[in-house]
Amino acid sequence: MSYETIIVETRGKVGLVTLNRPKALNALNSQVIGEINAVLDGFERDPGIGAIVITGSEKAFAAGADILEMKAKTYPESYLEDFITTWDRIGQRRKPIIAAVAGYALGGGCELAMMCDFILAADTAKFGQPEIKLGVMPGAGGTQRLTRFVGKSKAMEMCLTGRLMDAAEAERVGLVSRIVPAADLVAEAMKVAAQIADLSLPAVMMTKESVNRSYETTLAEGVRFERRVFHAMFAMADQKEGMAAFAEKRPADFKNR
Ligand code: CAA
């Protein structure tokens, strides 16, 4: 399948999606989101893929939802088409997705990065929710996810003023997992993704599911959920192999990866 707004590659067990609308700083229109979802559908079905990286360009991961596409929308139109709801599917994927962010990750770009499982940032990365300057507010989860990442005070300040956060601040407050030099960003993200893809795929997917559960439930329920999944893991051949390999002081040879 060919795509017009993204570049898709597979390197070993890692799928790489590069947003590719350079003239619009990777602004996310309905075609981009449709193409990302189509390629993620394929990666989810492909047993040869164990992890995914989504990245942009040096200048912009993505400068937001496409303002030109949405500026004339009416309330009934956005309601009837359920505008933005298809974006949510990106955050509901079961295989791990790393966002590798250089340059601007603004508005929907910041929201897309936060839908991924973790964010690796280049030292050039800039995050923000500037929608308030357009007379609106974040609409792809920004008011909710940013608040969970960085806490109410900082999220409120960013959403109410549109102030951008640089990579150092984003790392300090836990929005990104790590900062790497811009020139190494994609290579580092691919390396981390390959490490994950080399592990037991069901163990990785269950771990992702369990961490995500912490956003949706109480601590007691979350811990109960974790315990059930942990117990279930003892039915997996990969658990037997992983622990046998440790005991025998050899590398594990996981079958389900
Ligand atoms: N939508 C559509 N086009 C965009 C865009 C966007 N979000 N962001 C940038 N572009 C386009 C510009 O219109 C410009 O196109 P032309 O060359 O055809 O004029 C091109 O990308 C380059 O942009 P600039 O000339 O503005 O580049 P710059 O380096 O001077 O500034 C920037 C970069 C600060 C990121 C600036 O482009 C900017 O502020 N962009 C908008 C950021 C924004 O408001 N994002 C939120 C969008 S709303 C949203 O995302 C809603 C939601 O929650 C789902």
Side-chain angles (χ1 to χ4, degrees):
M1 193 163 168
S2 68
Y3 300 100
E4 289 175 357
T5 64
I6 58 176
I7 298 166
V8 181
E9 296 162 65
T10 301
R11 296 189 200 160
K13 287 180 265 182
V14 179
L16 173 62
V17 180
T18 305
L19 305 176
N20 187 34
R21 287 189 76 205
K23 289 186 184 148
L25 300 184
N26 292 332
L28 301 164
N29 62 14
S30 46
Q31 185 180 3
V32 181
I33 298 300
E35 291 188 357
I36 294 173
N37 270 322
V39 76
L40 293 181
D41 284 344
F43 285 153
E44 291 266 278
R45 281 192 302 267
D46 183 347
I49 294 292
I52 296 146
V53 172
I54 300 181
T55 195
S57 68
E58 273 177 37
K59 181 163 182 192
F61 176 73
D66 191 318
I67 299 165
L68 305 183
E69 187 186 62
M70 70 186 152
K71 69 183 178 35
K73 269 190 203 300
T74 64
Y75 173 59
E77 278 165 9
S78 48
Y79 180 81
L80 289 174
E81 78 177 68
D82 209 3
F83 180 46
I84 297 288
T85 297
T86 53
W87 294 44
D88 288 344
R89 294 188 55 225
I90 297 165
Q92 291 160 359
R93 301 296 169 160
R94 301 175 75 214
K95 288 183 180 174
I97 306 179
I98 302 172
V101 174
Y104 294 112
L106 305 185
C110 187
E111 292 167 306
L112 171 62
M114 291 190 292
M115 283 176 202
C116 297
D117 296 310
F118 59 93
I119 302 173
L120 282 183
D123 45 14
T124 58
K126 287 190 182 64
F127 299 88
Q129 299 290 163
E131 291 90 340
I132 195 74
K133 295 181 176 173
L134 301 170
V136 290
M137 66 179 212
T143 61
Q144 305 303 300
R145 289 197 180 91
L146 188 65
T147 308
R148 283 164 165 80
F149 272 102
V150 307
K152 178 182 168 187
S153 189
K154 217 167 257 288
M156 193 69 94
E157 185 206 351
M158 288 177 70
C159 290
L160 289 183
T161 67
R163 177 176 79 79
L164 306 193
M165 189 185 268
D166 66 15
E169 183 180 5
E171 185 188 35
R172 195 171 70 243
V173 298
L175 177 57
V176 310
S177 67
R178 269 191 300 129
I179 302 175
V180 294
D184 303 336
L185 176 70
V186 175
E188 181 63 19
M190 293 299 284
K191 192 175 102 189
V192 176
Q195 283 167 359
I196 295 170
D198 211 31
L199 299 168
S200 163
L201 183 57
V204 164
M205 289 170 64
M206 289 177 204
T207 303
K208 165 171 173 164
E209 189 181 356
S210 194
V211 173
N212 280 337
R213 188 56 70 101
S214 71
Y215 276 107
E216 294 159 5
T217 192
T218 62
L219 179 62
E221 278 306 318
V223 168
R224 261 194 288 279
F225 177 83
E226 180 193 82
R227 194 68 32 82
R228 288 283 82 75
V229 178
F230 181 67
H231 291 164
M233 285 176 155
F234 288 86
M236 299 196 314
D238 284 345
Q239 173 270 328
K240 296 289 173 288
E241 168 58 16
M243 294 193 181
F246 177 83
E248 293 159 23
K249 302 190 189 304
R250 60 172 175 82
D253 180 19
F254 295 119
K255 297 295 179 219
N256 287 307
R257 59 183 181 193

